[in-house]
Amino acid sequence: MIISSKRWIRESKFDIGDQVYIKNDREQRIVFIIEVIVSLYEIRYRTRCMESVDVFFEFELSKEKRIF
């Protein structure tokens, strides 16, 4: 997904509907991107996993499962 404004153009790493993992989640459950939140200086992602909804920065998410 390409996000642009008058000041910058940036391609987001994830799109709505993507299945991702939270990097520091010990259980490595799959979460789904349900919203992309764009502000002047950052892109955040609202995710859903079962009953919980949380917001993460791009660096906190990964498409690959981590093995601890």
Side-chain angles (χ1 to χ4, degrees):
M1 172 187 298
I2 297 177
I3 301 167
S4 66
S5 74
K6 292 180 181 179
R7 295 184 181 203
W8 52 270
I9 296 175
R10 179 163 177 222
E11 187 168 348
S12 67
K13 194 172 182 179
F14 308 108
D15 289 325
I16 293 172
D18 283 356
Q19 298 178 17
V20 296
Y21 298 93
I22 302 165
K23 289 182 179 179
N24 63 354
D25 179 17
R26 284 214 169 283
E27 296 177 21
Q28 289 293 284
R29 294 172 294 205
I30 294 176
V31 298
F32 295 89
I33 305 285
I34 60 170
E35 181 180 8
V36 179
I37 305 164
V38 179
S39 66
L40 184 58
Y41 300 106
E42 64 194 13
I43 298 174
R44 293 177 293 155
Y45 301 90
R46 187 173 315 275
T47 64
R48 176 178 278 293
C49 177
M50 300 254 208
E51 68 284 339
S52 69
V53 175
D54 297 295
V55 176
F56 295 97
F57 291 100
E58 193 169 83
F59 68 87
E60 298 178 286
L61 302 173
S62 173
K63 289 188 177 187
E64 286 85 35
K65 189 174 190 176
R66 290 181 63 181
I67 298 172
F68 290 98

